[in-house]
Amino acid sequence: MPAARPTRAAFPWGRLALYGAVHGALGALFLLAGPYAATAFPLDDAYIHHVYAEGVAFGEGFAYNPGAPANGATSPLWVLLLAPLRLLGLRGAALVLPTKLLGLALGALLALVADHLAAALGASPKARFAAGLLVAANPLVVYGAVSGMELPL
């Protein structure tokens, strides 16, 4: 008799949607909080990541100045995730909102990771849900997600 195949749990789209709604709603407050919140980054490092992303997108590798490879980006993975935005032709202020939305999406995934980590540690269903909500609703995580930086990674 063949061995039974292990079953996989379905992807928890409902939880991800809930964490995304909480995280996104709080992120919207940050985006609406100031006159430049949706058109500028609070930290200059976010712009530095985009300069490196442009180099990656156009075949120059990790370079701040064209033709001079350098490793000044604090998160190569974040640079790789931002590179497609440059390939789409986005520049300047047009990069800000898509970058912040990417950060919010990753923040929602981070909340789901907290939920699954709690489950792996033996937490009850309510406790794992609370773990996910605490991450999704944490103002520091939300600010990090809309800062243009790699914090939700």
Side-chain angles (χ1 to χ4, degrees):
M1 189 162 163
R5 291 181 55 175
T7 59
R8 270 191 208 173
F11 188 83
W13 291 107
R15 286 208 184 211
L16 180 61
L18 178 63
Y19 297 146
V22 169
H23 197 64
L26 293 172
L29 292 176
F30 278 99
L31 292 175
L32 299 172
Y36 304 108
T39 58
F41 296 117
L43 304 167
D44 63 345
D45 285 10
Y47 294 102
I48 293 169
H49 282 102
H50 277 288
V51 171
Y52 280 93
E54 183 174 5
V56 168
F58 296 108
E60 298 166 0
F62 280 84
Y64 189 81
N65 295 309
N71 188 16
T74 54
S75 175
L77 178 58
W78 186 237
V79 168
L80 294 175
L81 291 173
L82 294 175
L85 298 177
R86 301 308 297 241
L87 286 172
L88 291 173
L90 300 178
R91 299 186 58 76
L95 284 167
V96 175
L97 190 57
T99 300
K100 291 182 178 193
L101 293 175
L102 176 60
L104 286 170
L106 290 171
L109 282 172
L110 181 63
L112 188 63
V113 168
D115 177 308
H116 282 269
L117 179 60
L121 294 172
S124 70
K126 287 182 182 178
R128 67 182 278 202
F129 181 64
L133 276 181
L134 285 172
V135 170
N138 184 320
L140 296 175
V141 175
V142 176
Y143 175 78
V146 298
S147 70
M149 297 295 289
E150 71 275 10
L151 279 77
L153 287 178

